[in-house]
Amino acid sequence: MVIINSKFLVQNITGVQRFAFNVAIKLAKLKNDNLLFFMPNKKFNYFYENLFKENIPIIKGYTRGIIWEQIELPFFAKRKKAIILNLGNSGPIFYNKNVTIIHDLLWLKYPEAYSKLFTKWYSFMIPRLIKNSLKVITVSQTSKRDIVDHFKIAEDKIAVIYPGVDRSVFKPLNLERENFILWVGSLKFYKNVHGLIEAFKILKQNYKIPYKLTIAGYGVGELRGKIDEKIRDDVDFVDKVKDEILLKLYNRALVFVFPSFYEGFGLPPLEAMACGCPVVVSDTGGLPEVCGDAGIYCNPQDPYDIARAIYEVISSKELRGSLIKKGLERANLFSWEKTAREILNIVKELL
């Protein structure tokens, strides 16, 4: 028996929750009788409605939060003599039959992006969770190196399984490309939206480009009043980022830019490539593993280099055409079904 730690069903959407949801959907469609979803006693996020349409057994517990994950979940699993599959960076630290996915160590690299309580809890929880996991899975070779180096664990205890992209959702729509640069993400410091805004200012001042910048993500509207008035009229904000809205943005943008200081993987560039949108990304973290030769790279620490990379793409129709072709081919290498099957194969070997 395998119990899916379904805490993600009650959480807000970030890349980790999107990963968990897409893997869960594919696991559910495999119709494996040994899989059971167990969630906290809390209202689920509307984003996950499709999972409930799969007619799979989803059991709701009696508690929520840390009490649910650290006490009720392992007690439930012990009664079932089950392995717990933790899809999103956390799990019961005193249960010794975990398979745990750790996406990255951002809470260590950029603690200022998180609350002190969150950082302290993860500093306590993660090493113990790793110790009590039969297998650790991560999303890139970059993240694997970080985990091995920091926690001093054997390399063969960690498997790398890349996330996927849903090409039934993210696909070319043959819409006319418009003159705007797109960024999608959260306002966490390491996402470096401030560096992109500075690069956009350089593009307007030094290159005199007639383009706009669109910033999309939950809560991004709070940046509106912080934008330099010289470029404020050329910066648009999209607070609602449901998949159908993202699909149109990826299909209309002239270029997608993702200049993060660090990413364990980075789903937005993959989604953009799947939609036929050229991408400019940082040359750090797991992003080169995502984009391969299908992206233009920049130094995220240097707004002038970000501006240089963007201008290289927007000024050349030939380059954009080449990036679109390579990006679509690159995106075809990633699928959620492949991700789910590889995870399930690891779990089956441990049963």
Side-chain angles (χ1 to χ4, degrees):
M1 171 68 71
V2 179
I3 293 173
I4 310 294
N5 178 345
S6 302
K7 182 175 72 171
F8 68 92
L9 290 175
V10 303
Q11 294 177 317
N12 292 326
I13 300 296
T14 68
V16 171
Q17 285 74 31
R18 186 176 284 273
F19 174 96
F21 169 67
N22 281 289
V23 169
I25 279 282
K26 295 303 180 184
L27 289 174
K29 288 183 176 178
L30 292 174
K31 302 298 182 186
N32 191 310
D33 293 336
N34 287 323
L35 291 177
L36 183 65
F37 289 74
F38 189 53
M39 66 179 286
N41 186 16
K42 192 176 179 181
K43 186 178 180 180
F44 75 94
N45 187 323
Y46 73 91
F47 180 87
Y48 304 110
E49 284 180 318
N50 285 340
L51 186 57
F52 287 79
K53 295 176 184 177
E54 295 299 324
N55 295 318
I56 59 169
I58 299 179
I59 298 175
K60 183 178 286 190
Y62 296 100
T63 60
R64 63 179 66 179
I66 290 178
I67 291 174
W68 175 84
E69 187 167 58
Q70 298 303 324
I71 299 175
E72 187 178 1
L73 171 60
F75 182 74
F76 181 80
K78 188 174 182 179
R79 280 181 12 220
K80 299 284 187 180
K81 298 181 179 179
I83 287 175
I84 298 176
L85 176 57
N86 303 296
L87 294 172
N89 285 341
S90 67
I93 58 177
F94 298 117
Y95 191 71
N96 61 6
K97 293 178 68 178
N98 289 294
V99 172
T100 303
I101 296 172
I102 297 177
H103 292 254
D104 51 54
L105 299 184
L106 279 164
W107 51 278
L108 278 173
K109 292 179 175 292
Y110 295 97
E112 66 275 11
Y114 302 90
S115 70
K116 288 183 179 180
L117 182 61
F118 180 95
T119 303
K120 285 182 179 179
W121 169 240
Y122 264 53
S123 296
F124 174 80
M125 181 263 295
I126 292 292
R128 289 163 177 81
L129 182 58
I130 289 174
K131 182 180 179 180
N132 278 330
S133 291
L134 300 170
K135 194 78 171 181
V136 174
I137 298 169
T138 192
V139 295
S140 66
Q141 294 294 339
T142 298
S143 286
K144 178 174 179 175
R145 285 194 299 272
D146 288 345
I147 294 167
V148 168
D149 291 346
H150 185 80
F151 295 108
K152 310 302 180 187
I153 61 175
E155 289 198 20
D156 60 5
K157 187 172 184 175
I158 305 180
V160 173
I161 298 178
Y162 289 119
V165 62
D166 188 344
R167 290 190 296 277
S168 70
V169 175
F170 296 105
K171 58 189 175 183
L173 296 179
N174 296 317
L175 299 179
E176 185 175 348
R177 294 283 167 182
E178 300 176 20
N179 288 338
F180 72 89
I181 298 158
L182 176 64
W183 176 90
V184 174
S186 71
L187 295 184
K188 294 239 191 286
F189 174 77
Y190 63 85
K191 294 291 186 181
N192 196 26
V193 67
H194 56 282
L196 174 58
I197 292 170
E198 185 62 29
F200 183 67
K201 185 178 177 181
I202 292 167
L203 285 166
K204 297 299 273 186
Q205 291 177 344
N206 295 4
Y207 295 89
K208 310 298 181 185
I209 64 167
Y211 303 140
K212 287 195 168 191
L213 171 64
T214 295
I215 297 174
Y218 288 106
V220 297
E222 67 183 64
L223 288 175
R224 196 181 309 273
K226 301 176 183 178
I227 302 293
D228 190 317
E229 61 182 14
K230 294 178 181 178
I231 61 171
R232 191 173 298 165
D233 290 342
D234 288 319
V235 181
D236 295 325
F237 297 91
V238 180
D239 274 34
K240 306 295 183 182
V241 286
K242 292 182 179 179
D243 283 352
E244 57 267 28
I245 294 173
L246 283 176
L247 173 64
K248 290 180 181 178
L249 287 172
Y250 288 139
N251 272 276
R252 289 169 45 224
L254 197 64
V255 61
F256 175 78
V257 185
F258 205 59
S260 301
F261 293 132
Y262 182 88
E263 296 283 344
F265 184 78
L267 286 176
L270 181 55
E271 293 169 350
M273 290 190 297
C275 292
C277 185
V279 298
V280 169
V281 297
S282 302
D283 58 5
T284 60
L287 289 170
E289 293 180 59
V290 180
C291 298
D293 67 349
I296 297 297
Y297 293 92
C298 64
N299 176 358
Q301 304 286 348
D302 183 358
Y304 283 92
D305 196 54
I306 299 171
R308 183 271 313 161
I310 295 171
Y311 188 74
E312 189 177 331
V313 175
I314 64 178
S315 63
S316 172
K317 186 176 181 180
E318 182 180 355
L319 177 59
R320 292 198 302 276
S322 174
L323 290 173
I324 289 169
K325 183 176 182 294
K326 289 180 179 180
L328 289 170
E329 292 172 352
R330 183 75 181 174
N332 282 334
L333 299 177
F334 301 87
S335 79
W336 288 117
E337 182 175 357
K338 180 181 177 184
T339 304
R341 287 191 180 277
E342 290 182 2
I343 291 173
L344 192 58
N345 286 341
I346 285 176
V347 174
K348 283 180 177 178
E349 290 177 1
L350 298 170
L351 287 174

